C-alpha cells in the first residue's frame, strides 16, 4: 500500500507569495504544493493538502486523518502554533506521527513565536529553511512510512 501524507497549513498561509515575502519567500502555497506532489509521485506515494484560516476546520481535518488512511502529517499551523491547545489536543488524540514546519526561523523572531504548543508532540521540527522545509519533511515522511510498513 502506498503511503499517504497530509500537509496541513494554517491561517494566512494561503497568502504565501504576497504575504511579507522578505519573511516567508516569494513562492505561493500552490507552487509549494505542486513541488511536493511531484516528489510524492516519484516515490509512488500520495500527498494530500489542506489549508484553513479556521481553527475548528483544522481540528476537524486532523480528526478525519485518523479515518482516511493518513500515515503521516506535515503541519505548519501558522499563528495557531503559538496559541492553540485545541490543535495540540487533536494531534495528541489521533496519535499520527508529524513534523512541524515553519518557513521562517521563529526563534529569531518575536518572543511570542518561540513557544509552540505542538513541538513536543512532533517527531521533529524544521524552521527557517523556507519552502525547502516542507520538502525535507516530506522526504523524511516517505522514508518513515516506508520503513514502518516494512516492519509490520
Ligand atoms: C509561520 C510562523 C508563525 O509564527 C506565523 O504566525 C505564521 C507562519 C512560518 O511558517 O514561519 O503564520 O508558521
Amino acid at each position: 500500500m502506498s503511503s499517504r501524507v497530509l500537509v496541513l497549513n494554517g491561517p494566512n498561509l494561503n497568502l504565501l507569495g504576497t504575504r511579507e515575502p522578505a519573511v516567508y519567500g516569494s513562492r505561493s502555497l500552490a507552487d509549494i504544493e505542486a513541488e511536493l506532489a511531484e516528489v510524492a509521485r516519484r516515490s509512488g506515494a500520495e500527498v494530500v493538502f489542506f489549508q484553513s484560516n479556521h481553527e475548528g476546520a483544522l481540528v476537524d481535518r486532523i480528526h478525519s486523518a485518523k479515518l482516511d488512511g493518513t500515515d503521516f502529517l506535515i503541519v505548519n499551523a501558522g499563528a495557531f502554533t503559538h496559541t492553540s491547545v485545541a490543535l495540540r489536543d487533536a494531534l495528541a488524540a489521533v496519535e499520527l506521527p508529524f513534523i512541524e514546519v515553519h518557513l521562517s526561523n521563529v526563534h529569531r523572531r518575536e518572543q511570542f513565536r518561540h513557544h509552540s504548543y505542538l513541538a513536543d508532540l512532533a517527531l521533529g521540527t524544521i524552521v527557517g529553511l523556507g519552502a525547502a522545509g516542507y520538502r525535507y519533511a516530506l522526504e523524511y515522511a516517505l522514508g518513515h512510512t516506508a520503513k514502518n510498513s516494512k516492519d509490520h
Side-chain angles (χ1 to χ4, degrees):
M1 237 176 64
S2 71
S3 47
R4 185 179 166 95
V5 178
L6 169 64
V7 180
L8 204 66
N9 278 288
N12 302 305
L13 292 162
N14 56 312
L15 300 180
L16 283 181
T18 56
R19 172 194 185 196
E20 301 181 79
V23 178
Y24 298 115
S26 55
R27 293 181 67 187
S28 69
L29 186 57
D31 182 34
I32 294 168
E33 289 178 349
E35 182 190 354
L36 298 178
E38 177 56 21
V39 170
R41 193 193 60 75
R42 277 193 249 120
S43 300
E46 195 189 349
V47 64
V48 292
F49 303 101
F50 185 78
Q51 187 278 328
S52 180
N53 296 322
H54 304 278
E55 190 174 19
L58 292 162
V59 168
D60 287 343
R61 187 64 189 87
I62 292 167
H63 292 178
S64 56
K66 187 69 183 174
L67 306 171
D68 71 6
T70 297
D71 300 299
F72 201 103
L73 280 78
I74 294 170
V75 179
N76 184 351
F80 290 148
T81 306
H82 318 299
T83 63
S84 180
V85 177
L87 277 184
R88 174 191 175 81
D89 287 350
L91 287 162
V94 299
E95 293 182 314
L96 290 167
F98 73 96
I99 293 178
E100 175 179 341
V101 171
H102 298 285
L103 294 139
S104 65
N105 183 347
V106 285
H107 302 292
R108 293 176 70 171
R109 301 181 65 197
E110 304 94 323
Q111 189 71 35
F112 64 83
R113 295 186 205 275
H114 296 184
H115 176 257
S116 164
Y117 277 100
L118 316 180
D120 63 301
L121 297 178
L123 276 185
T125 61
I126 300 175
V127 305
L129 305 184
Y134 289 96
R135 193 176 70 244
Y136 300 144
L138 179 59
E139 282 164 2
Y140 183 89
L142 297 177
H144 178 91
T145 52
K147 180 174 168 294
N148 280 5
S149 62
K150 250 187 262 144
D151 292 348
H152 291 133

